Amino acid sequence: MATPTPTRQRRRGHDPESVLSIAVGVFNERGYDGTSMEDLARALGVTKSAIYYHVPGKEQLLARALDRALDGLSEMVADQRAASGPAIERLEWVVRQSVRILVDRLPYVTLLLRVRGNSHTEQAALERRREFDAFISRLVKEAAAEGSIRPDVDPALVTRLLFGTVNSIADWYQPSRGASSDDVADALLKMAFNGLRV
Amino acid sequence: MATPTPTRQRRRGHDPESVLSIAVGVFNERGYDGTSMEDLARALGVTKSAIYYHVPGKEQLLARALDRALDGLSEMVADQRAASGPAIERLEWVVRQSVRILVDRLPYVTLLLRVRGNSHTEQAALERRREFDAFISRLVKEAAAEGSIRPDVDPALVTRLLFGTVNSIADWYQPSRGASSDDVADALLKMAFNGLRV
DNA sequence: TTGTCAACTGACTGAATGTTCGGTAAACAC
DNA sequence: GTGTTTACCGAACATTCAGTCAGTTGACAA
């Protein structure tokens, strides 16, 4: 045969992808700064030095993880559905998509939400995140200007409360509990848009 | 005179209180694990070793800070106003008080909300915090049972969303922007209880 | 002037940290 | 079999870390 079956059973081991996904899990359990390469090695079932065969170092792991979260948000901002139609409907769509991204990429987004800017990598991620926050802020302001949001609350405050609620999902959401992204988004939108009171 | 004036101008310097309050500020900027004693010393304007004259060590600083946050929550749970009356009104009161405690003790509560359980100190704090969460959870369930909350959302989900929103305030609130604790609580309660839509 | 004491410095220690490197065993290609 | 590649180990590396301790400084009391 000319082509050797490419997916032949190779010697089992890690690759950059499996290292990243396990590492992000540990980062979220113990915090990035609270995680040592020794911790990662233990979680991977190898020695510290083996990690460096797959990835360049600890900070690169963080950078790749943060990009996964930020790329999701960037795609959403670029979507046509975030650009046309009544602002209140676009806002609803953006909230729903944000919840979906948060749930789909839970460990990566969770990590992003905890970044404080201690390194260049973290500062760059915060910068990209700020662009997203500015986008949201404009959207809420438009919805308020169109008269779709109660006028007795400052739109800046609404933005922070609304997306504070979305982001807080990362602190408690567990896929194993059965609630889907849409279940959570439905509940959130009911509460924030129509209120909890009967 | 028998008693030497006790508040005479002593040689200016730090005391355990000023060390704690500055340390907590740095912990919140860089994260507890991301903060070295050298970082603290720089912020205090002294050398590392001077810190140990005032406080026993890094972890004790964390423990004292977390207690400040948790003591506030404990007091609220013990208050009579959290125990009698319609559940929905008690819930509203607890939300408002939670926002007040968060704002009044902002740096301490912020630190508490970021604890992951890496040490015994952190685990003990998480344990105390879980008691508070259980209290809240019961309260929301009661309000739902009394028919004061829309029945089409799971009370457990309501609890997480509502207090996720409260906790997220720590991520953005700045006293210098002028909004008081009550301003924020008003906006939050309007959104969560009555909805943003006009 | 002398003594006391709170507040601090500077030099240090041992442990932990992220990273590097020489070597190696097993799987594969030929 | 022979050579190559993949995935890893173990030992070391320089650096950073929390914490210690003997000594110094300066304000104040007597």
mmCIF file of all heavy atoms in Angstrom, chain B residues 111-139:
data_model
loop_
_atom_site.group_PDB
_atom_site.id
_atom_site.type_symbol
_atom_site.label_atom_id
_atom_site.label_comp_id
_atom_site.label_asym_id
_atom_site.label_seq_id
_atom_site.Cartn_x
_atom_site.Cartn_y
_atom_site.Cartn_z
ATOM 1 N N LEU B 111 -12.067 39.140 47.771
ATOM 2 C CA LEU B 111 -11.094 38.082 48.029
ATOM 3 C C LEU B 111 -11.803 36.754 48.301
ATOM 4 O O LEU B 111 -11.421 35.711 47.763
ATOM 5 C CB LEU B 111 -10.236 38.486 49.233
ATOM 6 C CG LEU B 111 -8.891 37.794 49.401
ATOM 7 C CD1 LEU B 111 -8.016 37.959 48.178
ATOM 8 C CD2 LEU B 111 -8.184 38.327 50.638
ATOM 9 N N LEU B 112 -12.842 36.815 49.132
ATOM 10 C CA LEU B 112 -13.594 35.596 49.466
ATOM 11 C C LEU B 112 -14.162 34.923 48.222
ATOM 12 O O LEU B 112 -14.109 33.698 48.083
ATOM 13 C CB LEU B 112 -14.740 35.942 50.432
ATOM 14 C CG LEU B 112 -15.703 34.802 50.765
ATOM 15 C CD1 LEU B 112 -14.997 33.703 51.543
ATOM 16 C CD2 LEU B 112 -16.918 35.315 51.525
ATOM 17 N N LEU B 113 -14.666 35.736 47.307
ATOM 18 C CA LEU B 113 -15.328 35.182 46.133
ATOM 19 C C LEU B 113 -14.344 34.511 45.183
ATOM 20 O O LEU B 113 -14.745 33.810 44.263
ATOM 21 C CB LEU B 113 -16.097 36.287 45.393
ATOM 22 C CG LEU B 113 -17.319 36.824 46.141
ATOM 23 C CD1 LEU B 113 -17.908 38.028 45.435
ATOM 24 C CD2 LEU B 113 -18.372 35.727 46.290
ATOM 25 N N ARG B 114 -13.051 34.723 45.398
ATOM 26 C CA ARG B 114 -12.068 34.145 44.481
ATOM 27 C C ARG B 114 -11.340 32.950 45.069
ATOM 28 O O ARG B 114 -10.479 32.360 44.422
ATOM 29 C CB ARG B 114 -11.052 35.221 44.084
ATOM 30 C CG ARG B 114 -11.711 36.301 43.261
ATOM 31 C CD ARG B 114 -10.696 37.201 42.600
ATOM 32 N NE ARG B 114 -11.381 38.305 41.932
ATOM 33 C CZ ARG B 114 -10.965 39.552 41.928
ATOM 34 N NH1 ARG B 114 -9.847 39.855 42.565
ATOM 35 N NH2 ARG B 114 -11.641 40.484 41.300
ATOM 36 N N VAL B 115 -11.698 32.620 46.312
ATOM 37 C CA VAL B 115 -11.027 31.507 46.993
ATOM 38 C C VAL B 115 -11.375 30.174 46.323
ATOM 39 O O VAL B 115 -12.530 29.935 45.984
ATOM 40 C CB VAL B 115 -11.466 31.509 48.471
ATOM 41 C CG1 VAL B 115 -11.365 30.129 49.072
ATOM 42 C CG2 VAL B 115 -10.652 32.519 49.259
ATOM 43 N N ARG B 116 -10.387 29.330 46.102
ATOM 44 C CA ARG B 116 -10.626 28.046 45.425
ATOM 45 C C ARG B 116 -10.427 26.847 46.324
ATOM 46 O O ARG B 116 -10.665 25.723 45.902
ATOM 47 C CB ARG B 116 -9.718 27.860 44.191
ATOM 48 C CG ARG B 116 -9.453 29.050 43.319
ATOM 49 C CD ARG B 116 -10.578 29.527 42.429
ATOM 50 N NE ARG B 116 -11.615 28.556 42.110
ATOM 51 C CZ ARG B 116 -12.875 28.884 41.862
ATOM 52 N NH1 ARG B 116 -13.271 30.117 41.922
ATOM 53 N NH2 ARG B 116 -13.754 27.959 41.565
ATOM 54 N N GLY B 117 -9.907 27.039 47.543
ATOM 55 C CA GLY B 117 -9.739 25.899 48.443
ATOM 56 C C GLY B 117 -8.370 25.261 48.405
ATOM 57 O O GLY B 117 -8.221 24.079 48.701
ATOM 58 N N ASN B 118 -7.341 26.023 48.059
ATOM 59 C CA ASN B 118 -5.988 25.465 47.921
ATOM 60 C C ASN B 118 -5.327 25.116 49.258
ATOM 61 O O ASN B 118 -4.412 24.310 49.295
ATOM 62 C CB ASN B 118 -5.083 26.435 47.157
ATOM 63 C CG ASN B 118 -5.404 26.445 45.667
ATOM 64 O OD1 ASN B 118 -6.203 25.645 45.203
ATOM 65 N ND2 ASN B 118 -4.788 27.329 44.931
ATOM 66 N N SER B 119 -5.757 25.748 50.328
ATOM 67 C CA SER B 119 -5.147 25.494 51.637
ATOM 68 C C SER B 119 -6.254 25.223 52.646
ATOM 69 O O SER B 119 -7.445 25.363 52.343
ATOM 70 C CB SER B 119 -4.329 26.711 52.084
ATOM 71 O OG SER B 119 -5.187 27.834 52.214
ATOM 72 N N HIS B 120 -5.862 24.854 53.855
ATOM 73 C CA HIS B 120 -6.862 24.632 54.897
ATOM 74 C C HIS B 120 -7.638 25.921 55.156
ATOM 75 O O HIS B 120 -8.867 25.892 55.331
ATOM 76 C CB HIS B 120 -6.196 24.153 56.184
ATOM 77 C CG HIS B 120 -7.146 24.082 57.339
ATOM 78 N ND1 HIS B 120 -8.166 23.146 57.414
ATOM 79 C CD2 HIS B 120 -7.273 24.848 58.441
ATOM 80 C CE1 HIS B 120 -8.852 23.337 58.509
ATOM 81 N NE2 HIS B 120 -8.345 24.363 59.165
ATOM 82 N N THR B 121 -6.942 27.025 55.206
ATOM 83 C CA THR B 121 -7.589 28.325 55.406
ATOM 84 C C THR B 121 -8.676 28.565 54.364
ATOM 85 O O THR B 121 -9.794 28.978 54.698
ATOM 86 C CB THR B 121 -6.533 29.450 55.312
ATOM 87 O OG1 THR B 121 -5.546 29.239 56.323
ATOM 88 C CG2 THR B 121 -7.169 30.817 55.481
ATOM 89 N N GLU B 122 -8.354 28.297 53.128
ATOM 90 C CA GLU B 122 -9.319 28.524 52.050
ATOM 91 C C GLU B 122 -10.491 27.547 52.143
ATOM 92 O O GLU B 122 -11.644 27.918 51.914
ATOM 93 C CB GLU B 122 -8.633 28.410 50.686
ATOM 94 C CG GLU B 122 -7.547 29.456 50.469
ATOM 95 C CD GLU B 122 -7.144 29.600 49.009
ATOM 96 O OE1 GLU B 122 -7.728 28.919 48.150
ATOM 97 O OE2 GLU B 122 -6.241 30.408 48.724
ATOM 98 N N GLN B 123 -10.185 26.310 52.490
ATOM 99 C CA GLN B 123 -11.261 25.322 52.598
ATOM 100 C C GLN B 123 -12.232 25.672 53.717
ATOM 101 O O GLN B 123 -13.444 25.519 53.566
ATOM 102 C CB GLN B 123 -10.664 23.929 52.820
ATOM 103 C CG GLN B 123 -10.151 23.294 51.538
ATOM 104 C CD GLN B 123 -9.220 22.123 51.806
ATOM 105 O OE1 GLN B 123 -9.363 21.436 52.812
ATOM 106 N NE2 GLN B 123 -8.273 21.915 50.905
ATOM 107 N N ALA B 124 -11.684 26.166 54.829
ATOM 108 C CA ALA B 124 -12.534 26.563 55.947
ATOM 109 C C ALA B 124 -13.439 27.724 55.528
ATOM 110 O O ALA B 124 -14.626 27.762 55.882
ATOM 111 C CB ALA B 124 -11.680 26.948 57.146
ATOM 112 N N ALA B 125 -12.901 28.648 54.775
ATOM 113 C CA ALA B 125 -13.694 29.785 54.305
ATOM 114 C C ALA B 125 -14.791 29.313 53.354
ATOM 115 O O ALA B 125 -15.940 29.768 53.439
ATOM 116 C CB ALA B 125 -12.798 30.808 53.618
ATOM 117 N N LEU B 126 -14.445 28.390 52.476
ATOM 118 C CA LEU B 126 -15.447 27.862 51.541
ATOM 119 C C LEU B 126 -16.563 27.161 52.296
ATOM 120 O O LEU B 126 -17.727 27.254 51.920
ATOM 121 C CB LEU B 126 -14.785 26.885 50.558
ATOM 122 C CG LEU B 126 -14.010 27.504 49.400
ATOM 123 C CD1 LEU B 126 -13.466 26.419 48.486
ATOM 124 C CD2 LEU B 126 -14.895 28.467 48.603
ATOM 125 N N GLU B 127 -16.189 26.478 53.365
ATOM 126 C CA GLU B 127 -17.182 25.773 54.177
ATOM 127 C C GLU B 127 -18.174 26.758 54.786
ATOM 128 O O GLU B 127 -19.390 26.564 54.717
ATOM 129 C CB GLU B 127 -16.462 24.973 55.277
ATOM 130 C CG GLU B 127 -17.364 24.053 56.060
ATOM 131 C CD GLU B 127 -18.206 23.143 55.164
ATOM 132 O OE1 GLU B 127 -17.660 22.558 54.186
ATOM 133 O OE2 GLU B 127 -19.403 23.034 55.423
ATOM 134 N N ARG B 128 -17.649 27.837 55.350
ATOM 135 C CA ARG B 128 -18.538 28.856 55.932
ATOM 136 C C ARG B 128 -19.409 29.494 54.854
ATOM 137 O O ARG B 128 -20.565 29.840 55.084
ATOM 138 C CB ARG B 128 -17.717 29.956 56.632
ATOM 139 C CG ARG B 128 -17.209 29.589 58.007
ATOM 140 C CD ARG B 128 -16.605 30.800 58.723
ATOM 141 N NE ARG B 128 -17.575 31.805 59.124
ATOM 142 C CZ ARG B 128 -17.251 32.995 59.661
ATOM 143 N NH1 ARG B 128 -15.970 33.305 59.855
ATOM 144 N NH2 ARG B 128 -18.186 33.859 59.988
ATOM 145 N N ARG B 129 -18.815 29.674 53.683
ATOM 146 C CA ARG B 129 -19.574 30.308 52.615
ATOM 147 C C ARG B 129 -20.702 29.406 52.132
ATOM 148 O O ARG B 129 -21.788 29.872 51.790
ATOM 149 C CB ARG B 129 -18.634 30.622 51.441
ATOM 150 C CG ARG B 129 -19.208 31.672 50.511
ATOM 151 C CD ARG B 129 -18.427 31.845 49.243
ATOM 152 N NE ARG B 129 -19.324 32.065 48.127
ATOM 153 C CZ ARG B 129 -18.936 32.097 46.855
ATOM 154 N NH1 ARG B 129 -17.673 31.930 46.541
ATOM 155 N NH2 ARG B 129 -19.821 32.307 45.916
ATOM 156 N N ARG B 130 -20.450 28.113 52.144
ATOM 157 C CA ARG B 130 -21.474 27.171 51.712
ATOM 158 C C ARG B 130 -22.706 27.225 52.621
ATOM 159 O O ARG B 130 -23.832 27.065 52.166
ATOM 160 C CB ARG B 130 -20.881 25.756 51.676
ATOM 161 C CG ARG B 130 -20.711 25.223 50.251
ATOM 162 C CD ARG B 130 -20.047 23.871 50.230
ATOM 163 N NE ARG B 130 -18.667 23.933 49.786
ATOM 164 C CZ ARG B 130 -17.613 23.495 50.470
ATOM 165 N NH1 ARG B 130 -17.779 22.950 51.657
ATOM 166 N NH2 ARG B 130 -16.401 23.593 49.963
ATOM 167 N N GLU B 131 -22.472 27.475 53.916
ATOM 168 C CA GLU B 131 -23.603 27.620 54.845
ATOM 169 C C GLU B 131 -24.489 28.792 54.422
ATOM 170 O O GLU B 131 -25.709 28.699 54.443
ATOM 171 C CB GLU B 131 -23.085 27.859 56.270
ATOM 172 C CG GLU B 131 -22.441 26.633 56.904
ATOM 173 C CD GLU B 131 -21.747 26.975 58.212
ATOM 174 O OE1 GLU B 131 -22.180 27.934 58.894
ATOM 175 O OE2 GLU B 131 -20.757 26.296 58.543
ATOM 176 N N PHE B 132 -23.827 29.878 54.058
ATOM 177 C CA PHE B 132 -24.583 31.044 53.593
ATOM 178 C C PHE B 132 -25.377 30.703 52.335
ATOM 179 O O PHE B 132 -26.565 31.050 52.221
ATOM 180 C CB PHE B 132 -23.623 32.204 53.339
ATOM 181 C CG PHE B 132 -24.270 33.400 52.729
ATOM 182 C CD1 PHE B 132 -25.113 34.205 53.488
ATOM 183 C CD2 PHE B 132 -24.049 33.725 51.407
ATOM 184 C CE1 PHE B 132 -25.724 35.312 52.920
ATOM 185 C CE2 PHE B 132 -24.654 34.832 50.838
ATOM 186 C CZ PHE B 132 -25.494 35.626 51.595
ATOM 187 N N ASP B 133 -24.736 30.015 51.401
ATOM 188 C CA ASP B 133 -25.410 29.642 50.165
ATOM 189 C C ASP B 133 -26.628 28.766 50.439
ATOM 190 O O ASP B 133 -27.673 28.920 49.783
ATOM 191 C CB ASP B 133 -24.429 28.907 49.239
ATOM 192 C CG ASP B 133 -23.376 29.844 48.667
ATOM 193 O OD1 ASP B 133 -23.558 31.076 48.772
ATOM 194 O OD2 ASP B 133 -22.363 29.356 48.121
ATOM 195 N N ALA B 134 -26.491 27.872 51.414
ATOM 196 C CA ALA B 134 -27.615 26.992 51.746
ATOM 197 C C ALA B 134 -28.778 27.795 52.314
ATOM 198 O O ALA B 134 -29.953 27.522 52.015
ATOM 199 C CB ALA B 134 -27.163 25.915 52.735
ATOM 200 N N PHE B 135 -28.438 28.790 53.129
ATOM 201 C CA PHE B 135 -29.459 29.672 53.701
ATOM 202 C C PHE B 135 -30.247 30.373 52.601
ATOM 203 O O PHE B 135 -31.488 30.413 52.615
ATOM 204 C CB PHE B 135 -28.785 30.686 54.627
ATOM 205 C CG PHE B 135 -29.665 31.789 55.083
ATOM 206 C CD1 PHE B 135 -30.566 31.605 56.125
ATOM 207 C CD2 PHE B 135 -29.604 33.034 54.464
ATOM 208 C CE1 PHE B 135 -31.390 32.643 56.538
ATOM 209 C CE2 PHE B 135 -30.420 34.071 54.871
ATOM 210 C CZ PHE B 135 -31.316 33.868 55.914
ATOM 211 N N ILE B 136 -29.516 30.931 51.652
ATOM 212 C CA ILE B 136 -30.140 31.616 50.523
ATOM 213 C C ILE B 136 -31.042 30.669 49.742
ATOM 214 O O ILE B 136 -32.166 31.013 49.357
ATOM 215 C CB ILE B 136 -29.048 32.144 49.571
ATOM 216 C CG1 ILE B 136 -28.143 33.127 50.283
ATOM 217 C CG2 ILE B 136 -29.667 32.761 48.335
ATOM 218 C CD1 ILE B 136 -28.837 34.368 50.683
ATOM 219 N N SER B 137 -30.511 29.491 49.508
ATOM 220 C CA SER B 137 -31.229 28.502 48.718
ATOM 221 C C SER B 137 -32.588 28.182 49.356
ATOM 222 O O SER B 137 -33.613 28.113 48.665
ATOM 223 C CB SER B 137 -30.371 27.241 48.612
ATOM 224 O OG SER B 137 -30.896 26.384 47.642
ATOM 225 N N ARG B 138 -32.585 27.999 50.678
ATOM 226 C CA ARG B 138 -33.841 27.735 51.394
ATOM 227 C C ARG B 138 -34.815 28.894 51.232
ATOM 228 O O ARG B 138 -36.005 28.702 51.001
ATOM 229 C CB ARG B 138 -33.551 27.519 52.886
ATOM 230 C CG ARG B 138 -33.059 26.119 53.234
ATOM 231 C CD ARG B 138 -33.144 25.867 54.750
ATOM 232 N NE ARG B 138 -32.369 26.821 55.531
ATOM 233 C CZ ARG B 138 -31.065 26.688 55.795
ATOM 234 N NH1 ARG B 138 -30.402 25.634 55.319
ATOM 235 N NH2 ARG B 138 -30.419 27.580 56.518
ATOM 236 N N LEU B 139 -34.280 30.094 51.338
ATOM 237 C CA LEU B 139 -35.119 31.293 51.258
ATOM 238 C C LEU B 139 -35.821 31.390 49.909
ATOM 239 O O LEU B 139 -37.028 31.686 49.837
ATOM 240 C CB LEU B 139 -34.248 32.524 51.519
ATOM 241 C CG LEU B 139 -34.942 33.847 51.803
ATOM 242 C CD1 LEU B 139 -36.038 33.670 52.839
ATOM 243 C CD2 LEU B 139 -33.920 34.882 52.267
#
